[in-house]
Amino acid sequence: MTITTTNSRSRGLTGAQVRQALPGAIRKLDPRSQWHNPVMFLVWAGAALTTIVAVLELLTGNVGVSTGFSTVIAVWLWLTVIFANLAESIAEGRGKAQAETLRKTRTATSAIRVDGWDERNDPSVEHTTTTEVVSSELKYGDVVVVAVGQTIPGDGDIVWGIASVDESAITGESAPVIREAGGDRSAVTGGTTVLSDTIVVRITSRPGETFIDRMISLVEGAARQKTPNEIALTILLTTLTIIFLLAVAAIQPMAAFAGEPLSVVVLVALLVCLIPTTIGALLSAIGIAGMDRLVQRNVLAMSGRAVEAAGDVSTLLLDKTGTITFGNRRATDVVPVAGAQRAEVLRVAHLASLADETPEGRSIVEHALEQGHSPEHADAAALAATGAAVVPFTAQTRMSGVDLPDGSSLRKGAGSSVAAWVTETGGTWPTDADPAIESISASGGTPLVVAEQTAAGQRRVVGVVHLKDVVKPGMRERFDQLRSMGIRTVMITGDNRVTAGAIAAEAGVDDFLAEATPEDKMALIRKEQEGGRLVAMTGDGTNDAPALAQADVGVAMNTGTSAAKEAGNMVDLDSDPTKLIDIVAIGKQLLITRGALTTFSIANDIAKYFAIIPAMFVVLFPGLDRLNIMRLSSPESAMLSAVIFNALIIVALIPLALRGVPYRPMTADQMLRRNLLLYGLGGVIVPFVGIKLIDLVVSLLPGL
């Protein structure tokens, strides 16, 4: 399996893209816009100065160099600035269509606001008064009811009900998704539509700060901030520009001393050719395109810093369920222990799972019925009607169950948790429970221990439920590829160590954390970070929020809770945890592209230096003729050819900046050698060839 980070939208540069982006490129000629890019601002200033000189020469007739030379230089300097602006405008334009689509979903809608929601006595608001308001009037904490066919008025969490929701406006996926209260799939997004049933939603966003609002600003680039790496590179390019500015300024006195002072036009042209204009022109486009590649994969990055950090990630934390495995664990068998009968195990497991709405809980109920168990209660409502109290699953207890009105209690959960529950009142752990657990775990299944407490207060284990999960195909190959990228993978699961070890061995991860609690996740992340490593992880629940916030790259699932999405610095709209692998590849591609084009640009400048200087001063210093290996026609032709090449190379590299340099898993040494050979040596050779070919054409012009 090959990680690919290209898309049809990123291949080549079309005429339509250029036409759409050209007005924006022209508007960016405003000096207030150019000021943010020191390199290109200097080119802009040089173009303006050269234009003034050319106009004065035409008005006064005092032509200091060949006729038309200043004018042609001025034209190509302006084209250099426009081409740089064009690269940025094309990159920004890619988010325009998506932003327009999102704006259509942001239109104000009516909302049915609940006046005083009573969670205990009237959670479905059947008997509570409501008020119809405009969605823009909703405040943080308001509760609204949304019926079938209505648009959800704002971001929030479902506090009652379950519904099928159309999220195609956000994700592009036409298939509806299920959202329900009380779990990790409770979050809903404003602008999406309820297709079935009725839900009660608590608003968790303020007007103008919704998920869609943030998406619009991010895909348009309005909220894009320069990353630390981009800022550092900008400082480096600015420093190089200042150095070349001083070097060119020092040439004039030396030329004057030799009896051949240089014109302002020549000095400006020389400066523009020597400063790193190529990477300076493309730097912003590279960053915007990196964000766009994530958007193409339905991943919303809250900052460019997160994308950049993804490229330097060295440790990946991945949940087992739903990420490495399909996550639809189903009960396939029950194993009686401690002398219990199979029917007894089925009864206890059925009652303990009747109010459990997780896929595992539902599968246990279904399995009990399939095995011929005659239920005492038809459903969870009938069980609740008897006065039974449901004990929900938590990451801390790792158990769930029910307390019956007769004083008895039923529990199911991880072996260690149930063992602690049984033994805390003097109960004993049966000797045949461990072999059953080990047998299920060794096969890659998940054992859930079932126990009961009688009305007299005696606790005992009655059996073990066998849950099966399946590793997704191709996961081993993907982890092998990550390993070749120098990334360590760690599987996190609440399963016991034996089960976790079996799944980890099958999937091919480097390490695993079994019986993990939220505190264990935090401790693992901090341990990795203390070792100087960057950590990435995925999560969707409220209990994942602290770890998502602690991780350097935290990818929250769109199906998850609002707390998880607020804590993460990326949101996966498809809610596919395995996409974390692609995010890392895109981050690496961004860093590689920036590094490769910087190498090419600097090599370019060095080559242009040795191509231009000998041709310029060969008349004054005949000894330089030995360095004039390109045999350019004249000093004017050499300078003009270099300026034209300097502008055209930006256009030639725009598709690569937008598409990104293809990423191939390899060591850092291999990558360095490859980039130096391809972009370093290539950056030296291409200017010699390009300038010579342009010179052959330019030399045919009159006066040159």
Side-chain angles (χ1 to χ4, degrees), residues 21-93:
L22 192 56
I26 300 297
R27 287 193 296 270
K28 289 179 182 291
L29 289 174
D30 187 331
R32 292 170 297 182
S33 177
Q34 294 296 315
W35 176 254
H36 299 288
N37 188 335
V39 177
M40 296 314 301
F41 178 76
L42 189 60
V43 179
W44 181 93
L49 180 60
T50 306
T51 301
I52 294 172
V53 172
V55 171
L56 291 175
E57 287 178 351
L58 291 172
L59 291 177
T60 61
N62 183 24
V63 181
V65 293
S66 300
T67 305
F69 177 74
S70 299
T71 303
V72 177
I73 290 290
V75 169
W76 279 101
L77 290 181
W78 283 118
L79 287 175
T80 303
V81 181
I82 291 173
F83 291 158
N85 295 343
L86 189 67
E88 187 174 4
S89 294
I90 292 173
E92 291 175 345

Side-chain angles (χ1 to χ4, degrees), residues 276-355:
T277 52
T278 305
I279 184 62
L282 300 173
L283 187 58
S284 179
I286 293 170
I288 297 172
M291 297 283 286
D292 180 68
R293 283 192 287 277
L294 278 179
V295 173
Q296 291 176 31
R297 286 157 181 78
N298 271 358
V299 177
L300 181 63
M302 300 305 175
S303 69
R305 183 190 298 267
V307 185
E308 196 171 273
D312 287 328
V313 161
S314 52
T315 302
L316 247 63
L317 305 186
L318 301 148
D319 280 330
K320 175 181 77 71
T321 306
T323 304
I324 295 173
T325 64
F326 282 106
N328 54 344
R329 296 184 298 181
R330 297 190 59 81
T332 59
D333 195 14
V334 294
V335 182
V337 299
Q341 300 297 312
R342 185 177 181 85
E344 188 178 4
V345 180
L346 290 172
R347 172 187 170 275
V348 174
H350 180 269
L351 286 173
S353 305
L354 199 58

Side-chain angles (χ1 to χ4, degrees), residues 524-542:
L524 177 61
I525 293 173
R526 290 195 180 106
K527 181 182 177 182
E528 293 289 327
Q529 290 173 333
E530 287 170 1
R533 292 178 285 272
L534 296 186
V535 179
M537 73 161 289
T538 62
D540 58 2
T542 302

Side-chain angles (χ1 to χ4, degrees), residues 188-506:
V188 290
T189 306
T192 58
T193 305
V194 175
L195 299 180
S196 69
D197 303 290
T198 299
I199 53 176
V200 179
V201 178
R202 178 181 283 113
I203 300 299
T204 58
S205 64
R206 295 174 176 81
E209 299 179 3
T210 66
F211 190 66
I212 289 181
D213 290 319
R214 286 184 293 166
M215 282 187 67
I216 291 172
S217 61
L218 286 165
V219 299
E220 284 190 323
R224 193 186 88 88
Q225 296 180 343
K226 289 186 176 182
T227 64
N229 182 281
E230 193 173 350
I231 293 172
L233 187 54
T234 300
I235 294 172
L236 172 63
L237 298 180
T238 304
T239 303
L240 289 175
T241 300
I242 294 172
I243 292 172
F244 279 117
L245 178 62
L246 295 174
V248 171
I251 289 177
Q252 177 68 342
M254 291 187 291
F257 180 78
E260 192 69 32
L262 300 175
S263 68
V264 172
V265 174
V266 171
L267 291 173
V268 170
L270 179 61
L271 176 63
V272 170
C273 289
L274 296 184
I275 63 176
T277 52
T278 305
I279 184 62
L282 300 173
L283 187 58
S284 179
I286 293 170
I288 297 172
M291 297 283 286
D292 180 68
R293 283 192 287 277
L294 278 179
V295 173
Q296 291 176 31
R297 286 157 181 78
N298 271 358
V299 177
L300 181 63
M302 300 305 175
S303 69
R305 183 190 298 267
V307 185
E308 196 171 273
D312 287 328
V313 161
S314 52
T315 302
L316 247 63
L317 305 186
L318 301 148
D319 280 330
K320 175 181 77 71
T321 306
T323 304
I324 295 173
T325 64
F326 282 106
N328 54 344
R329 296 184 298 181
R330 297 190 59 81
T332 59
D333 195 14
V334 294
V335 182
V337 299
Q341 300 297 312
R342 185 177 181 85
E344 188 178 4
V345 180
L346 290 172
R347 172 187 170 275
V348 174
H350 180 269
L351 286 173
S353 305
L354 199 58
D356 185 355
E357 294 299 322
T358 65
E360 293 84 357
R362 296 191 188 105
S363 76
I364 292 173
V365 172
E366 293 171 4
H367 179 72
L369 297 176
E370 291 170 357
Q371 295 299 306
H373 169 67
S374 300
E376 300 173 31
H377 306 286
D379 50 33
L383 178 64
T386 66
V390 175
V391 180
F393 175 88
T394 68
Q396 285 73 28
T397 65
R398 298 192 298 123
M399 287 193 307
S400 63
V402 63
D403 293 333
L404 299 175
D406 64 358
S408 61
S409 299
L410 311 175
R411 295 291 186 272
K412 71 174 193 303
S416 59
S417 299
V418 176
W421 182 77
V422 170
T423 57
E424 71 179 2
T425 59
T428 58
W429 181 258
T431 56
D432 55 348
D434 286 333
I437 293 173
E438 291 170 3
S439 175
I440 294 171
S441 300
S443 67
T446 300
L448 287 184
V449 179
V450 182
E452 68 171 348
Q453 175 182 291
T454 65
Q458 297 177 338
R459 296 179 179 178
R460 69 184 184 110
V461 177
V462 296
V464 184
V465 178
H466 186 172
L467 297 178
K468 277 190 175 180
D469 203 353
V470 180
V471 175
K472 294 179 178 178
M475 292 306 296
R476 175 174 286 277
E477 289 77 8
R478 301 199 84 176
F479 291 137
D480 288 342
Q481 196 170 37
L482 286 169
R483 198 171 295 110
S484 67
M485 295 159 62
I487 297 174
R488 177 171 170 264
T489 53
V490 181
M491 182 186 77
I492 300 175
T493 177
D495 290 337
N496 62 72
R497 288 193 60 82
V498 179
T499 301
I503 297 293
E506 184 179 352

